[in-house]
Amino acid sequence: KPIVRETVGRFLRSGLSPSKIYVVTPDVDAYSFESANQYSVIHESMIEKIGKADLVKRLGGRSSRAGWYYQQLLKYAIVEYFSSEIDILICDADTVIIDDLSGLKNGFPEAREWNQSYFYGLKMLTGLSPVLQKSAIVNFMLFDARYMRSLLSEIEFRSGKSWTDAIIDLLAGNQQFDFSEYEVYANWEASVPAPVFRLFKCSSDTKFCTSQL
């Protein structure tokens, strides 16, 4: 609880002025938290598109990474669930914000990682090649619900499946393809004719993340 309160406090001082803050947690842990004036607690089962047990069965040779893929799918489901909002900042649970993030509305965090298998997955799901020159995989992402809706619609149109099934089938079908929720979203948004997007330097080597112009 003290960690949650500290993290929420940092969100409030992040420069983004959030109108609402939600702590999304596994059902078994939800009762360890209490909703407060500054945030509300939501059970994962209210939002998830597929349970962890079912995901393990469907991932085949990648079943050992089911928990990792589950949290990626959950992030997309969270943005879809709160699609009445426009800007939705999702921060990984092991991240503490230590700097002003207001500049995120003009770009994406920049990371050192570059995994080609993620871009094979990007191509299969959306038809896109990488648009950004560097990776956008760090500990958080500011999602625009409008771009997310168009991304999920594109995935479903191209695959003829729900976006959840399309991603899971991609992962289960070919070890050459992989999926990164942040990489796919950032490159999709950056591909849309709009103001020039910039990458922000971000230290993603530790659990503490900061960004700057």
Side-chain angles (χ1 to χ4, degrees):
K1 291 179 182 179
I3 294 176
V4 172
R5 287 195 293 268
E6 173 65 19
T7 302
V8 168
R10 289 178 181 270
F11 268 120
L12 294 172
R13 299 189 297 272
S14 67
L16 293 175
S17 302
S19 60
K20 299 176 184 177
I21 297 177
Y22 298 95
V23 176
V24 181
T25 182
D27 292 9
V28 68
D29 297 324
Y31 299 103
S32 300
F33 299 95
E34 294 179 2
S35 294
N37 291 334
Q38 294 179 323
Y39 64 89
S40 299
V41 177
I42 295 183
H43 296 214
E44 285 180 353
S45 61
M46 293 175 56
I47 298 175
E48 67 182 10
K49 296 293 185 177
I50 183 171
K52 293 178 184 176
D54 290 334
L55 186 57
V56 168
K57 295 176 183 177
R58 292 187 56 184
L59 282 175
R62 282 182 160 146
S63 60
S64 63
R65 302 179 71 190
W68 187 63
Y69 290 122
Y70 173 84
Q71 57 90 20
Q72 294 191 58
L73 296 172
L74 183 65
K75 289 170 190 171
Y76 277 18
I78 289 171
V79 180
E80 188 176 46
Y81 185 84
F82 292 110
S83 60
S84 60
E85 306 292 333
I86 297 179
D87 294 322
I88 302 169
L89 175 66
I90 293 184
C91 187
D92 291 354
D94 61 353
T95 301
V96 177
I97 295 174
I98 61 175
D99 208 350
D100 188 341
L101 298 181
S102 57
L104 281 179
K105 292 189 176 182
N106 299 313
F108 303 103
E110 171 192 318
R112 299 174 185 174
E113 181 174 359
W114 186 270
N115 188 329
Q116 189 60 47
S117 64
Y118 291 149
F119 301 111
Y120 291 146
L122 170 70
K123 184 75 171 180
M124 292 297 294
L125 291 170
T126 67
L128 288 178
S129 297
V131 177
L132 299 173
Q133 298 303 307
K134 294 189 178 181
S135 173
I137 300 176
V138 287
N139 311 86
F140 57 87
M141 180 65 67
L142 182 62
F143 293 91
D144 184 316
R146 297 166 298 184
Y147 288 113
M148 178 61 85
R149 284 194 293 270
S150 66
L151 168 60
L152 299 184
S153 294
E154 180 68 16
I155 292 174
E156 293 182 343
F157 175 77
R158 293 180 64 86
S159 66
K161 309 172 184 177
S162 70
W163 63 264
T164 310
D165 286 341
I167 294 171
I168 295 172
D169 290 348
L170 171 81
L171 294 170
N174 192 323
Q175 294 291 317
Q176 183 182 13
F177 305 137
D178 210 338
F179 173 71
S180 162
E181 79 283 31
Y182 291 158
E183 209 77 274
V184 169
Y185 173 79
N187 278 278
W188 175 260
E189 182 174 338
S191 73
V192 178
V196 175
F197 288 101
R198 293 171 291 169
L199 286 161
F200 295 86
K201 292 190 179 299
C202 183
S203 173
S204 58
D205 297 333
T206 70
K207 294 181 180 179
F208 298 92
C209 194
T210 181
S211 65
Q212 60 185 12
L213 285 173

